[in-house]
Amino acid sequence: DVPEAEGRSLRTWFMQDSKWLVPKVNVYLQLVSFEAYATPGSVACTDMFANVLTELLAEFSYYADCGGLSYDVRNTAKGLTVIFYGYHHKLGSLMSKTLEEINRMGDKTQEAAPCSQEVFTRVKEKLLRQYANSVFSQPYTHCMTGSLMCLEQPRWTSLEKHAALSTLSLLDFKSFSTLLIKNMFAEVFVIGNMSPQASRDLSTSVLKTLGCKKLSESQMPV
Protein backbone atom coordinates (compact mmCIF):
# COMPACT_ATOMS: atom_id res chain seq x y z
CA ASP A 1 0.00 0.00 0.00
CA VAL A 2 1.16 3.50 -0.81
CA PRO A 3 1.17 5.61 2.37
CA GLU A 4 -1.07 8.64 2.40
CA ALA A 5 0.76 11.80 1.32
CA GLU A 6 1.29 14.26 4.13
CA GLY A 7 -1.00 17.22 3.98
CA ARG A 8 -3.19 19.60 5.94
CA SER A 9 -6.93 20.06 6.05
CA LEU A 10 -7.59 22.31 9.08
CA ARG A 11 -5.85 24.67 11.48
CA THR A 12 -7.58 26.62 14.25
CA TRP A 13 -6.45 29.75 16.08
CA PHE A 14 -8.34 30.91 19.17
CA MET A 15 -8.17 33.89 21.53
CA GLN A 16 -10.60 34.36 24.39
CA ASP A 17 -11.91 37.84 25.15
CA SER A 18 -10.99 38.25 28.81
CA LYS A 19 -11.16 42.05 29.00
CA TRP A 20 -14.36 43.49 27.50
CA LEU A 21 -16.64 40.46 28.07
CA VAL A 22 -18.96 41.51 25.24
CA PRO A 23 -21.19 38.60 24.05
CA LYS A 24 -19.79 38.79 20.55
CA VAL A 25 -17.27 36.86 18.47
CA ASN A 26 -15.35 37.30 15.22
CA VAL A 27 -14.59 34.28 13.04
CA TYR A 28 -12.16 34.58 10.13
CA LEU A 29 -12.35 31.60 7.80
CA GLN A 30 -9.56 31.32 5.22
CA LEU A 31 -10.25 28.65 2.59
CA VAL A 32 -6.85 28.10 1.00
CA SER A 33 -6.71 26.62 -2.50
CA PHE A 34 -3.95 26.41 -5.09
CA GLU A 35 -6.63 26.56 -7.79
CA ALA A 36 -7.84 30.01 -6.77
CA TYR A 37 -4.92 31.99 -8.21
CA ALA A 38 -3.25 29.63 -10.69
CA THR A 39 -4.34 31.49 -13.85
CA PRO A 40 -6.22 34.71 -14.75
CA GLY A 41 -9.26 32.52 -15.42
CA SER A 42 -8.96 30.99 -11.95
CA VAL A 43 -8.91 34.42 -10.31
CA ALA A 44 -11.93 35.51 -12.35
CA CYS A 45 -13.80 32.34 -11.34
CA THR A 46 -12.93 32.86 -7.67
CA ASP A 47 -14.18 36.46 -7.98
CA MET A 48 -17.35 35.10 -9.53
CA PHE A 49 -17.72 32.55 -6.73
CA ALA A 50 -17.52 35.23 -4.02
CA ASN A 51 -20.02 37.49 -5.81
CA VAL A 52 -22.48 34.68 -6.61
CA LEU A 53 -22.34 33.50 -2.99
CA THR A 54 -23.19 37.02 -1.83
CA GLU A 55 -26.17 37.08 -4.22
CA LEU A 56 -27.48 33.71 -3.05
CA LEU A 57 -27.25 34.68 0.62
CA ALA A 58 -28.68 38.19 0.20
CA GLU A 59 -32.09 37.49 1.75
CA PHE A 60 -30.77 35.32 4.58
CA SER A 61 -27.98 37.77 5.42
CA TYR A 62 -30.49 40.64 5.59
CA TYR A 63 -32.43 38.94 8.40
CA ALA A 64 -29.18 37.95 10.08
CA ASP A 65 -28.05 41.58 9.98
CA CYS A 66 -31.31 42.62 11.66
CA GLY A 67 -30.37 40.23 14.48
CA GLY A 68 -26.88 41.66 14.95
CA LEU A 69 -25.00 39.16 12.75
CA SER A 70 -22.96 39.98 9.66
CA TYR A 71 -20.64 38.27 7.21
CA ASP A 72 -18.33 39.24 4.37
CA VAL A 73 -16.76 37.13 1.62
CA ARG A 74 -13.81 38.12 -0.54
CA ASN A 75 -11.22 36.45 -2.72
CA THR A 76 -7.49 36.62 -2.00
CA ALA A 77 -4.31 35.27 -3.59
CA LYS A 78 -4.71 32.19 -1.35
CA GLY A 79 -8.38 31.48 -1.98
CA LEU A 80 -11.53 32.65 -0.24
CA THR A 81 -11.84 34.56 3.02
CA VAL A 82 -15.20 34.56 4.81
CA ILE A 83 -15.61 36.74 7.91
CA PHE A 84 -18.42 36.30 10.44
CA TYR A 85 -19.08 38.67 13.33
CA GLY A 86 -21.84 39.28 15.83
CA TYR A 87 -23.54 37.72 18.86
CA HIS A 88 -21.96 34.37 19.63
CA HIS A 89 -25.12 32.42 20.50
CA LYS A 90 -26.44 32.59 16.91
CA LEU A 91 -23.27 33.10 14.89
CA GLY A 92 -23.00 29.34 14.33
CA SER A 93 -26.32 29.39 12.47
CA LEU A 94 -25.10 32.06 10.03
CA MET A 95 -21.82 30.21 9.53
CA SER A 96 -23.62 26.91 8.97
CA LYS A 97 -25.94 28.42 6.34
CA THR A 98 -23.01 30.03 4.52
CA LEU A 99 -20.99 26.81 4.48
CA GLU A 100 -23.99 24.84 3.21
CA GLU A 101 -24.38 27.31 0.32
CA ILE A 102 -20.67 27.08 -0.49
CA ASN A 103 -20.94 23.29 -0.52
CA ARG A 104 -24.02 23.41 -2.78
CA MET A 105 -22.15 25.59 -5.27
CA GLY A 106 -19.42 23.00 -5.49
CA ASP A 107 -21.69 19.94 -5.61
CA LYS A 108 -21.97 18.52 -9.12
CA THR A 109 -24.40 15.74 -8.16
CA GLN A 110 -27.41 17.89 -7.28
CA GLU A 111 -30.06 18.40 -9.95
CA ALA A 112 -30.99 22.00 -9.16
CA ALA A 113 -27.81 24.09 -9.16
CA PRO A 114 -27.93 27.11 -6.80
CA CYS A 115 -26.41 29.42 -9.43
CA SER A 116 -28.90 29.92 -12.25
CA GLN A 117 -28.07 31.28 -15.70
CA GLU A 118 -29.73 34.57 -14.74
CA VAL A 119 -27.61 35.04 -11.62
CA PHE A 120 -24.46 33.98 -13.49
CA THR A 121 -25.06 36.46 -16.33
CA ARG A 122 -25.83 39.34 -13.97
CA VAL A 123 -22.76 38.79 -11.79
CA LYS A 124 -20.51 38.22 -14.82
CA GLU A 125 -21.56 41.51 -16.45
CA LYS A 126 -21.02 43.38 -13.20
CA LEU A 127 -17.54 41.88 -12.76
CA LEU A 128 -16.58 42.57 -16.39
CA ARG A 129 -17.46 46.25 -15.90
CA GLN A 130 -15.41 46.31 -12.72
CA TYR A 131 -12.35 44.87 -14.47
CA ALA A 132 -12.75 47.22 -17.46
CA ASN A 133 -13.16 50.31 -15.24
CA SER A 134 -9.91 49.55 -13.39
CA VAL A 135 -8.00 51.44 -16.11
CA PHE A 136 -9.77 54.62 -14.96
CA SER A 137 -8.63 54.25 -11.35
CA GLN A 138 -6.68 56.95 -9.49
CA PRO A 139 -2.94 57.17 -10.30
CA TYR A 140 -1.91 55.93 -6.84
CA THR A 141 -3.95 52.76 -7.45
CA HIS A 142 -2.01 52.08 -10.65
CA CYS A 143 1.20 52.67 -8.72
CA MET A 144 0.22 50.11 -6.07
CA THR A 145 -0.83 47.60 -8.73
CA GLY A 146 2.46 48.10 -10.59
CA SER A 147 4.43 47.51 -7.40
CA LEU A 148 2.58 44.26 -6.76
CA MET A 149 3.20 43.16 -10.35
CA CYS A 150 6.93 43.54 -9.69
CA LEU A 151 6.97 41.92 -6.26
CA GLU A 152 4.50 39.03 -6.51
CA GLN A 153 4.63 35.98 -8.72
CA PRO A 154 2.17 35.25 -10.12
CA ARG A 155 0.15 38.47 -10.25
CA TRP A 156 -2.62 38.90 -12.82
CA THR A 157 -3.86 42.23 -14.20
CA SER A 158 -7.49 43.28 -14.48
CA LEU A 159 -7.23 43.18 -18.27
CA GLU A 160 -6.01 39.57 -18.15
CA LYS A 161 -8.88 38.66 -15.86
CA HIS A 162 -11.34 40.51 -18.12
CA ALA A 163 -10.17 38.53 -21.16
CA ALA A 164 -10.49 35.23 -19.28
CA LEU A 165 -13.92 36.04 -17.82
CA SER A 166 -15.40 37.20 -21.14
CA THR A 167 -15.36 33.63 -22.51
CA LEU A 168 -16.45 31.91 -19.29
CA SER A 169 -19.65 29.85 -19.47
CA LEU A 170 -21.93 28.70 -16.66
CA LEU A 171 -20.74 25.12 -17.17
CA ASP A 172 -17.10 26.24 -16.87
CA PHE A 173 -17.95 28.08 -13.66
CA LYS A 174 -19.69 25.06 -12.12
CA SER A 175 -16.76 22.81 -12.97
CA PHE A 176 -14.32 25.26 -11.38
CA SER A 177 -16.49 25.60 -8.27
CA THR A 178 -16.36 21.84 -7.72
CA LEU A 179 -12.58 21.82 -8.15
CA LEU A 180 -12.18 24.79 -5.80
CA ILE A 181 -14.24 23.42 -2.90
CA LYS A 182 -12.99 19.85 -2.86
CA ASN A 183 -9.30 20.80 -2.67
CA MET A 184 -8.95 23.24 0.19
CA PHE A 185 -7.12 23.83 3.44
CA ALA A 186 -9.23 25.62 6.04
CA GLU A 187 -7.64 28.00 8.51
CA VAL A 188 -10.00 29.37 11.17
CA PHE A 189 -9.40 32.34 13.49
CA VAL A 190 -11.84 32.67 16.41
CA ILE A 191 -11.61 35.81 18.54
CA GLY A 192 -14.08 36.90 21.20
CA ASN A 193 -16.44 35.62 23.84
CA MET A 194 -16.50 31.90 23.07
CA SER A 195 -15.21 28.80 24.82
CA PRO A 196 -12.29 26.80 23.39
CA GLN A 197 -14.58 23.81 22.80
CA ALA A 198 -17.13 25.92 20.93
CA SER A 199 -14.37 27.28 18.70
CA ARG A 200 -13.26 23.71 17.94
CA ASP A 201 -16.83 22.78 17.06
CA LEU A 202 -17.03 25.71 14.64
CA SER A 203 -13.79 24.64 13.00
CA THR A 204 -14.72 20.99 12.61
CA SER A 205 -18.07 22.02 11.10
CA VAL A 206 -16.11 23.45 8.16
CA LEU A 207 -14.63 20.05 7.31
CA LYS A 208 -17.91 18.22 7.96
CA THR A 209 -19.87 20.52 5.65
CA LEU A 210 -17.36 21.05 2.85
CA GLY A 211 -15.63 17.67 2.98
CA CYS A 212 -12.30 19.22 2.04
CA LYS A 213 -9.45 16.88 1.16
CA LYS A 214 -6.00 17.35 2.61
CA LEU A 215 -3.87 19.84 0.75
CA SER A 216 -0.29 18.63 0.27
CA GLU A 217 2.60 20.94 1.04
CA SER A 218 3.39 21.34 -2.67
CA GLN A 219 -0.18 22.61 -3.26
CA MET A 220 -0.05 25.24 -0.51
CA PRO A 221 0.20 28.79 -1.97
CA VAL A 222 3.46 30.50 -1.02
Side-chain angles (χ1 to χ4, degrees):
D1 295 335
V2 179
E4 183 182 4
E6 289 187 8
R8 290 181 280 175
S9 55
L10 178 67
R11 176 188 289 153
T12 305
W13 302 82
F14 171 72
M15 185 171 72
Q16 174 74 51
D17 171 25
S18 58
K19 182 176 182 180
W20 305 108
L21 303 180
V22 178
K24 291 186 177 182
V25 66
N26 291 355
V27 177
Y28 295 80
L29 172 59
Q30 176 76 61
L31 297 174
V32 179
S33 173
F34 177 78
E35 309 292 342
Y37 209 78
T39 66
S42 299
V43 184
C45 282
T46 308
D47 266 338
M48 282 287 299
F49 193 99
N51 281 270
V52 169
L53 179 64
T54 301
E55 284 256 347
L56 296 177
L57 290 171
E59 183 178 354
F60 185 86
S61 62
Y62 169 77
Y63 291 112
D65 186 63
C66 292
L69 298 169
S70 299
Y71 91 104
D72 184 30
V73 57
R74 61 192 72 161
N75 70 311
T76 67
K78 288 188 175 183
L80 281 172
T81 298
V82 192
I83 306 171
F84 305 92
Y85 39 94
Y87 295 104
H88 62 80
H89 68 295
K90 284 294 184 180
L91 186 131
S93 300
L94 174 60
M95 187 170 173
S96 176
K97 174 65 176 177
T98 305
L99 290 173
E100 287 174 5
E101 204 63 48
I102 291 175
N103 187 55
R104 288 181 65 227
M105 287 179 65
D107 188 358
K108 260 188 172 182
T109 61
Q110 60 181 352
E111 296 181 2
C115 180
S116 64
Q117 182 66 55
E118 180 184 0
V119 172
F120 174 80
T121 302
R122 182 168 64 249
V123 173
K124 178 180 175 179
E125 290 176 353
K126 173 185 173 184
L127 203 53
L128 283 172
R129 287 196 302 271
Q130 181 179 320
Y131 288 153
N133 289 337
S134 64
V135 299
F136 304 111
S137 300
Q138 294 289 337
Y140 76 89
T141 303
H142 290 285
C143 182
M144 293 169 60
T145 303
S147 299
L148 294 174
M149 290 294 295
C150 295
L151 297 172
E152 294 185 5
Q153 179 65 30
R155 184 77 189 188
W156 311 113
T157 67
S158 294
L159 295 181
E160 288 174 316
K161 290 184 283 186
H162 184 281
L165 180 60
S166 61
T167 59
L168 185 73
S169 67
L170 178 58
L171 182 60
D172 294 333
F173 175 66
K174 290 179 179 178
S175 298
F176 176 84
S177 299
T178 301
L179 189 65
L180 181 73
I181 296 305
K182 297 309 175 186
N183 295 278
M184 278 188 162
F185 163 65
E187 190 157 24
V188 187
F189 301 79
V190 183
I191 306 169
N193 198 341
M194 181 172 280
S195 68
Q197 184 57 50
S199 68
R200 291 191 191 98
D201 292 341
L202 279 180
S203 296
T204 53
S205 70
V206 177
L207 291 186
K208 289 180 180 178
T209 305
L210 299 183
C212 304
K213 297 178 181 178
K214 285 187 176 181
L215 214 60
S216 66
E217 293 300 323
S218 61
Q219 292 177 304
M220 293 292 291
V222 178

